[in-house]
Amino acid sequence: MHAPTKFALGLLAAAAVATASDVIQLKKDTFDDFVKTNDIVLAEFFAPWCGHCKALAPEYEEAATTLKEKNIKLAKIDCTEESELCQQHGVEGYPTLKVFRGLDTVSPYKGQRKAGAITSYMIKQSLPSVSVLTKDNIEEFKKADKVVIVAYFDATDKAANETFSKVADKLRDEYPFGASSDVALAEAEGVTAPAIVLYKDFDEGKAVFTEKFDAEAIEKFAKTASTPLIGEVGPDTYAGYMSAGIPLAYIFAETPEERKELSEALKPIAESQRGVINFATIDAKAFGAHAGNLNLKTDKFPAFAIQETTKNQKFPFDQEKEITVESIQKFVDDFVGGKVEPSIKSEPIPETQEGPVTVVVAKSYNDIVLDDTKDVLIEFYAPWCGHCKALAPKYDELATLYANSEFKDKVVIAKVDATLNDVPDEIQGFPTIKLYAAGAKDKPVEYSGSRTVEDLIKFISENGKYKAAPSDEAEESVAASAESGSSTETGTVEEPAKETSHDEL
Ligand SMILES: *[C@@H]1O[C@H](CO)[C@@H](O)[C@H](O)[C@H]1NC(C)=O
């Protein structure tokens, strides 16, 4: 009699332990309040089927328990249930981890996904983001990193202090921030408070901000002043250049000597375009393949090209011409004046369409994808992408279903090899699938569901103009294929940068 009771109690206790979690699960109606009422929250956006999320779960639990006493909260959001909330926070893959300091100051979690790493990262994040500086520590602070940012303001200037702290909270992972209210220090620096000085170990050594303290203006200053006049494109800097919001001019050369020589020569041009075009050298030996992405030949260096980063347009400088100060000056001037046409890479337009899926190339993109009379589902793929290969038979089946249905003239199932064709879409990963609905070509809808025929049909019928879902007969065949075990764990994408040396960037 006793033994089973004890056993049952034991089970109950175990169950209680298993469910008592220090990770708070948030939903649409609890998220905002929770984030607002806690100073600092780490939030994990996950999906129950995602393998990396499962691996993270015990680590995350452990960190939550350790951090509880420091009043640092760990939360999780199930994106399969809270899709709106996840979309609102720009979640594109799982797991996505973000640090929230209120709703406005959000930064991606950049640490490892281990309990110890999460714990120490979050403790660091919870410390003040601005070091208070005095005459005893300021000189050392100035040399703490390649770029450091120091504000000088009056001890009573609460507004300046707050604005600066807000920027520091946001950019704390990028630069060390310091502040001083010592008038003598500001004087020694030759500035009048309130002012900000950005110290850098390159170019002119420092830059001064004397405008009104405004978070956005300070952020812009930090970004611009910390970017070297002629920097170097490499794995650490590539993403920054791509997100800078202005074009990037590449100077490709094979040796350090050549890069130095060319950047010295082109410096005046870079100077005159500061804030308009970023200039950077790139090691053509290591990253020569990236020249191909800019529609340059990959075997003829030095070379020069401009990339319009927001529209992803490429402007290669004619490799038959010599790179001189004069020739580049003219090219850059013409570019700024809108006189250079972007170069568009395209496969030839296929003479006939062989398979059920319509093959699109850059030259036929507008005619097919932007055909305003049709709902066009287009897959952007790369030949090397495994997820794309896994999708191919299902995608063929989808195309066949529509081709054999009453919607054959209204719905187009298409694909484009995005490594061989320049497309206007910004592609974050492969495959990317979008629906360009008839009558709404300016508002394509990106597909984020599981990659099954059934769900794709649902997506097309919900978002397309014609609400097109192939008839019952077609659906039966879909059901059959779903039963034959097509996996739904396909929400992940592969980075565009997997194969060429582009990925080293
Ligand atoms: C800014 O404000 C904080 C909090 O009130 C204070 O600790 C810090 O000393 C101030 N910074 C300066 C440089 O006066």
Side-chain angles (χ1 to χ4, degrees):
M1 274 299 271
H2 285 279
T5 314
K6 256 191 199 158
F7 179 65
L9 280 174
L11 267 185
L12 275 178
V17 168
T19 51
S21 165
D22 291 315
V23 176
I24 316 292
Q25 180 137 10
L26 297 176
K27 299 189 166 295
K28 185 168 173 270
D29 53 352
T30 53
F31 186 88
D32 285 11
D33 260 357
F34 186 82
V35 166
K36 274 192 248 166
T37 49
N38 286 286
D39 289 341
I40 184 160
V41 175
L42 176 63
E44 182 205 358
F45 298 88
F46 75 101
W49 46 257
C50 132
H52 289 305
C53 306
K54 285 180 199 156
L56 170 62
E59 305 285 340
Y60 202 66
E61 288 290 341
E62 190 185 327
T65 305
T66 317
L67 289 168
K68 195 176 167 185
E69 64 183 41
K70 300 220 180 285
N71 208 19
I72 298 170
K73 298 283 170 43
L74 268 57
K76 63 179 179 185
I77 299 91
D78 182 343
C79 290
T80 59
E81 288 174 6
E82 302 295 329
S83 56
E84 196 187 324
L85 184 59
C86 295
Q87 204 165 13
Q88 196 184 323
H89 290 283
V91 175
E92 286 176 344
Y94 306 121
T96 293
L97 290 147
K98 291 179 190 251
V99 180
F100 286 83
R101 289 183 182 76
L103 283 168
D104 295 333
T105 308
V106 189
S107 54
Y109 171 81
K110 292 183 187 147
Q112 304 276 311
R113 293 185 197 147
K114 291 275 173 224
I118 297 170
T119 305
S120 72
Y121 185 93
M122 288 308 292
I123 288 174
K124 262 193 225 139
Q125 293 280 319
S126 70
L127 297 175
S129 55
V130 181
S131 310
V132 175
L133 302 177
T134 63
K135 66 177 183 345
D136 298 324
N137 61 10
I138 191 163
E139 287 310 319
E140 194 187 332
F141 188 83
K142 282 183 193 171
K143 295 187 206 89
D145 214 330
K146 284 169 81 77
V147 171
V148 308
I149 301 176
V150 177
Y152 299 90
F153 47 74
D154 195 90
T156 59
D157 192 346
K158 283 224 167 59
N161 190 336
E162 252 171 45
T163 307
F164 187 69
S165 299
K166 203 172 136 199
V167 176
D169 280 347
K170 185 163 175 197
L171 303 180
R172 62 185 298 150
D173 295 335
E174 287 171 57
Y175 324 98
F177 286 86
S180 171
S181 51
D182 185 336
V183 181
L185 288 180
E187 235 166 57
E189 211 48 66
V191 296
T192 319
I196 299 170
V197 181
L198 181 145
Y199 301 91
K200 47 187 163 184
D201 69 359
F202 51 85
D203 291 347
E204 64 276 41
K206 69 178 192 180
V208 180
F209 177 90
T210 52
E211 291 163 44
K212 187 176 180 305
F213 272 36
D214 165 80
E216 216 168 291
I218 296 173
E219 222 180 287
K220 182 146 182 272
F221 162 75
K223 208 160 200 172
T224 311
S226 64
T227 307
L229 186 53
I230 297 189
E232 191 167 345
V233 178
D236 299 337
T237 57
Y238 182 69
Y241 280 120
M242 288 304 109
S243 64
I246 60 174
L248 173 62
Y250 294 83
I251 304 163
F252 279 91
E254 285 173 313
T255 66
E257 294 75 28
E258 230 180 339
R259 289 196 288 280
K260 184 148 185 264
E261 197 182 307
L262 280 169
S263 57
E264 283 301 322
L266 302 180
K267 212 165 196 167
I269 305 176
E271 186 88 68
S272 71
Q273 298 298 338
R274 178 156 230 161
V276 179
I277 302 173
N278 281 322
F279 278 68
T281 60
I282 176 165
D283 182 345
K285 265 210 185 101
F287 307 117
H290 189 57
N293 297 328
L294 301 164
N295 301 351
L296 285 167
K297 288 191 220 89
T298 56
D299 56 359
K300 199 163 189 301
F301 298 112
F304 184 87
I306 300 176
Q307 181 178 10
E308 217 294 322
T309 54
T310 53
K311 291 192 220 129
N312 193 21
Q313 292 174 331
K314 300 118 188 225
F315 301 84
F317 177 74
D318 187 348
Q319 278 163 293
E320 298 309 315
K321 287 193 193 153
E322 202 191 333
I323 294 182
T324 64
V325 177
E326 293 72 30
S327 66
I328 296 300
Q329 179 78 62
K330 172 151 188 350
F331 183 70
V332 169
D333 287 346
D334 285 350
F335 169 79
V336 174
K339 290 187 217 150
V340 187
E341 286 290 320
S343 138
I344 294 173
K345 181 167 65 178
S346 180
E347 292 177 284
I349 297 178
E351 283 178 19
T352 53
Q353 294 287 350
E354 305 286 343
V357 176
T358 302
V359 175
V360 169
V361 299
K363 285 180 185 157
S364 61
Y365 185 94
N366 287 358
D367 289 343
I368 299 174
V369 181
L370 302 186
D371 178 347
D372 213 26
T373 64
K374 290 180 180 163
D375 287 341
V376 182
L377 186 76
I378 181 152
E379 180 205 359
F380 302 89
Y381 73 96
W384 45 262
C385 143
H387 290 311
C388 306
K389 285 181 195 142
L391 170 65
K394 291 182 233 167
Y395 206 65
D396 282 351
E397 187 188 335
L398 179 76
T400 308
L401 285 175
Y402 276 98
N404 294 336
S405 77
E406 71 266 40
F407 301 109
K408 71 174 175 6
D409 297 323
K410 295 200 164 78
V411 176
V412 176
I413 307 298
K415 64 178 178 185
V416 57
D417 180 342
T419 66
L420 296 178
N421 296 281
D422 286 337
V423 292
D425 305 79
E426 193 184 319
I427 307 299
Q428 303 277 7
F430 294 122
T432 291
I433 302 170
K434 289 186 187 181
L435 181 73
Y436 280 82
K441 295 292 169 178
D442 53 333
K443 289 189 219 77
V445 190
E446 186 159 343
Y447 185 70
S448 59
S450 70
R451 296 189 194 116
T452 61
V453 176
E454 204 178 7
D455 284 358
L456 284 162
I457 291 178
K458 198 162 157 243
F459 175 72
I460 295 168
S461 66
E462 280 173 4
N463 295 285
K465 178 179 176 184
Y466 302 110
K467 311 284 164 226
S471 60
D472 293 351
E473 206 179 305
E475 267 167 31
E476 268 163 39
S477 114
V478 171
S481 89
E483 267 165 42
S484 69
S486 48
S487 157
T488 53
E489 187 165 341
T490 42
T492 48
V493 293
E494 292 171 50
E495 298 286 318
K498 273 268 149 79
E499 161 222 51
T500 62
S501 70
H502 187 118
D503 61 344
E504 291 164 59
L505 292 177

